[in-house]
Amino acid sequence: MKRTLSHIIMATIVLSTGASAAPYCADLMVQDQLPKKYQKRGPFFSDDATGWIIGNDQLKDKYAVTDEAKLLWRSIKSEFDKYGVDLVVMAAPPRPLFATDDAIQAMGLPSDADLSRLQQGFSAYIKALNAAGIVAPDFSVIAQSADAQGYYFSRDTHWTPTGAALSVAHLNAAMGKASAQDSMARIKTTARYEEKGSLAGVVKDVCGSRPEIETVSAPVYAQQGTASSLLNDVPDKEKIALVGTSFSDRYQRDAYQVADALAFVMDASVDNLAVTGGGLVGSMEAFIRSGALANTGYQTVVWETPYSAPLTQISGLRQILGALLASRKTTQISTLETRIGKDWVSVDHNISLTDIRGLEIEADQADTGQLIVELIDTNGGKSRTKLVKTDRVVADKRSPKWALAVSALQKSQIVRIKLRMPKASTQEPVTIRFFN
């Protein structure tokens, strides 16, 4: 059945009037009674009849776009353009929008769970990305179609293999190629996929028993003659890098066949460089630091981003742009050395932001964790950036270089730099380089 925005609005009205809930167990809805590892994501709303589970974290609107984010998007896109590489974004939409109307009415979501506002916020975010010159289709429109029910799992946080295929088909259309309808007509879903479900795992830990495994239909691209693994040796195929998260690297493999969908729909050779648990930065920074932009002949980079880490996070964007700038041949204009640890270390250094585009902190050993950088200008103005490196990126693809761009910061003198690594156990020697 086709779902429209009015359906979503009506569902929101029903929630606020107190629809009855049928949870897997009442403890799921008491946040401070959840195991500690789930408390930030909870409470969890569920309906054992439809099988749907939604964490409170998925109801939050993280899509507000600032002028600073827009500037950073344009700058990141410009850096890819310099290599002749097209950067496109495949942003997973808010999962609650895809729950069935029956499930939404039964789950007992909080009265402030405004799904229409969530949808509008996501659509505005995608529209802003497009305005910045980055192709990014609005997958939330699928929630208003007959395809909504098969897009997400009911008891897992990720899209299904069919949801991945739909996303690729819509991306292909947004890139000016075949329509999404024509692409999906070519895909035959002749297999079955079983998903035990991360949210089903929450139910098991809290309620004592795990809901049944979900079984969904899935394409078999190899039988259709164009699995990505068969294309790597074909020289005239377009070469695409898929850079993303567990949506493309579930269980440390492409369980939902995102790369295969890209290869089939776009008739391309696809390298899957996604990293489970990598967040906004992990796989993209590793990709940039690898030198792949200059050396491997990619025509397109598909940046897959989850709804939990949209491209509105300023620190992450600064880190990505900083890595791009630092990896290209830049002019180093100043250097200093110091030691940093878990407490703030202050470094006096008088340099104009008009003279630099970024800075890079190179540690001897630290290639994971957090590095917080605070820049203080002559007027006492502060700008703080939290840089993150995850150990989910394999060791040989990690770098002890932590870079950030200073685009959009107030153009004045930096008189002091404060640094700290919150989880450091010792003082770490570092070299700070300023570049333009």
Side-chain angles (χ1 to χ4, degrees):
M1 177 179 178
K2 184 176 181 181
R3 295 174 48 131
T4 64
L5 185 58
S6 63
H7 281 94
I8 296 174
I9 295 172
M10 283 301 298
T12 302
I13 293 171
V14 170
L15 296 178
S16 64
T17 58
S20 60
Y24 282 98
C25 70
D27 289 349
L28 285 168
M29 301 181 71
V30 185
Q31 184 174 15
D32 59 5
Q33 296 299 312
L34 295 170
K36 187 175 181 181
K37 63 181 178 179
Y38 298 137
Q39 288 185 4
K40 287 185 178 181
R41 296 167 55 193
F44 295 88
F45 309 96
S46 63
D47 172 46
D48 61 3
T50 61
W52 265 87
I53 309 165
I54 291 176
N56 192 59
D57 60 323
Q58 295 178 19
L59 297 169
K60 295 178 180 178
D61 184 351
K62 303 178 180 180
Y63 308 110
V65 178
T66 63
D67 289 340
E68 189 174 3
K70 295 176 185 177
L71 186 150
L72 290 166
W73 293 342
R74 290 193 294 270
S75 298
I76 290 170
K77 177 66 165 61
S78 176
E79 290 300 312
F80 276 83
D81 289 344
K82 289 171 183 174
Y83 292 99
V85 176
D86 190 20
L87 176 67
V88 300
V89 167
M90 191 159 61
R95 181 173 167 271
L97 302 182
F98 291 78
T100 63
D101 292 339
D102 287 347
I104 288 176
Q105 293 178 30
M107 278 188 284
L109 303 186
S111 59
D112 61 352
D114 190 339
L115 300 188
S116 62
R117 185 177 62 187
L118 189 64
Q119 189 275 328
Q120 291 162 4
F122 181 80
S123 291
Y125 155 58
I126 295 299
K127 184 178 180 180
L129 271 172
N130 291 325
I134 298 175
V135 171
D138 183 357
F139 297 145
S140 72
V141 300
I142 300 173
Q144 301 163 31
S145 75
D147 295 320
Q149 190 169 352
Y151 189 87
Y152 275 117
F153 290 105
S154 301
R155 296 180 288 283
D156 188 84
T157 57
H158 300 88
W159 52 33
T160 65
T162 299
L166 281 162
S167 300
V168 169
H170 280 261
L171 175 63
N172 192 55
M175 294 171 68
K177 302 179 183 180
S179 71
Q181 184 177 8
D182 287 346
S183 294
M184 290 304 296
R186 295 171 50 220
I187 296 174
K188 308 302 180 185
T189 54
T190 58
R192 307 295 285 172
Y193 178 87
E194 292 186 345
E195 175 60 65
K196 61 183 181 181
S198 57
L199 292 170
V202 175
V203 174
K204 179 180 181 297
D205 290 346
V206 176
C207 303
S209 62
R210 178 186 283 274
E212 65 182 15
I213 289 174
E214 282 188 78
T215 302
V216 297
S217 58
V220 183
Y221 296 105
Q223 292 182 5
Q224 299 172 66
T226 56
S228 59
S229 60
L230 304 178
L231 294 172
N232 293 332
D233 296 327
V234 182
D236 59 344
K237 295 287 185 181
E238 178 185 1
K239 193 170 183 183
I240 295 175
L242 170 59
V243 182
T245 65
S246 57
F247 277 71
S248 304
D249 185 45
R250 182 70 160 138
Y251 306 118
Q252 287 75 55
R253 61 184 176 86
D254 192 1
Y256 309 131
Q257 304 178 88
V258 182
D260 283 347
L262 285 166
F264 180 83
V265 171
M266 298 187 182
D267 192 23
S269 176
V270 180
D271 290 335
N272 189 347
L273 306 172
V275 177
T276 294
L280 176 63
V281 171
S283 62
M284 181 56 80
E285 184 181 46
F287 173 74
I288 294 165
R289 291 288 187 182
S290 73
L293 278 172
N295 301 322
T296 51
Y298 292 114
Q299 287 86 40
T300 303
V301 170
V302 176
W303 195 359
E304 169 261 290
T305 62
Y307 49 79
S308 58
L311 297 177
T312 54
Q313 300 178 5
I314 298 301
S315 286
L317 294 173
R318 287 198 177 284
Q319 186 171 347
I320 293 299
L321 181 56
L324 284 163
L325 295 172
S327 297
R328 209 162 38 81
K329 290 185 178 179
T330 55
T331 303
Q332 183 174 306
I333 61 175
S334 185
T335 303
L336 62 88
E337 295 183 355
T338 188
R339 300 180 73 90
I340 60 176
K342 64 179 181 179
D343 298 320
W344 285 109
V345 170
S346 182
V347 180
D348 293 332
H349 196 82
N350 191 10
I351 188 166
S352 174
L353 284 180
T354 59
D355 297 330
I356 67 169
R357 298 187 68 192
L359 60 121
E360 184 175 66
I361 300 100
E362 182 172 3
D364 279 359
Q365 300 294 330
D367 60 4
T368 62
Q370 296 179 0
L371 171 59
I372 303 176
V373 183
E374 185 172 87
L375 306 178
I376 304 170
D377 64 27
T378 52
N379 299 317
K382 299 178 181 179
S383 175
R384 182 175 293 184
T385 302
K386 181 167 69 174
L387 308 177
V388 178
K389 289 181 181 286
T390 175
D391 60 6
R392 297 292 189 93
V393 176
V394 296
D396 63 354
K397 293 185 179 180
R398 296 199 296 260
S399 169
K401 295 179 179 179
W402 306 65
L404 72 148
V406 297
S407 303
L409 292 179
Q410 183 180 356
K411 299 297 184 182
S412 60
Q413 297 290 112
I414 300 172
V415 294
R416 193 152 53 100
I417 303 170
K418 293 176 67 177
L419 305 165
R420 67 183 289 253
M421 285 184 167
K423 297 182 180 180
S425 57
T426 61
Q427 287 276 313
E428 180 77 23
V430 298
T431 300
I432 304 173
R433 302 184 183 94
F434 299 87
F435 56 84
N436 63 16

